Amino acid sequence: MTSIATHATIPASPLGQVRLTRRGRVVVVLAALVLALVVGIALSGVSSASEEAGAARATEVVVVNEGDTLWGIAAEVAEDGEVRSMITEIRELNDLDSSVVTLGQKIHVPVAG
């Protein structure tokens, strides 16, 4: 009997191309995500606030009466067409979670003008 030895040759990768295993691809993707997270955190710390204090807007305290709504109160002090933005401003000024006001509640409202 004759024995024939065969030698398998592994073809060289074209241009030294690297082939990643499944685990290698996972590592590359995770490394990219970590890098993106680090860059995002670094950029989110940038503030556009200045050292100068802004001018405080004058406010007055309004006591909510029966039948009053935040919309109605805001409409009294807002410029024409600016009621929604005034409601937002009043909510932020008083740290309100919603637009609901209750009888006897005291809220700070920007002075009209």
Side-chain angles (χ1 to χ4, degrees), residues 11-70:
S13 305
L15 301 174
Q17 185 179 21
V18 176
R19 292 182 179 222
L20 291 177
T21 62
R22 183 176 183 182
R23 183 171 39 177
R25 286 190 295 268
V26 170
V27 168
V28 169
V29 168
L30 288 176
L33 289 174
V34 168
L35 179 64
L37 179 66
V38 168
V39 169
I41 290 172
L43 293 178
S44 68
V46 177
S47 173
S48 61
S50 67
E51 295 292 324
E52 299 176 22
R57 186 165 180 186
T59 61
E60 62 182 337
V61 176
V62 173
V63 178
V64 178
N65 294 313
E66 189 173 342
D68 283 348
T69 62
L70 192 57

Side-chain angles (χ1 to χ4, degrees), residues 54-60 74 76-79 82 85-90 93 108-113:
R57 186 165 180 186
T59 61
E60 62 182 337
E76 291 178 15
V77 295
E79 296 177 12
E82 298 297 322
S85 62
M86 182 58 68
I87 289 174
T88 302
E89 189 172 344
I90 292 171
L93 189 62
H108 295 272
V109 177
V111 175

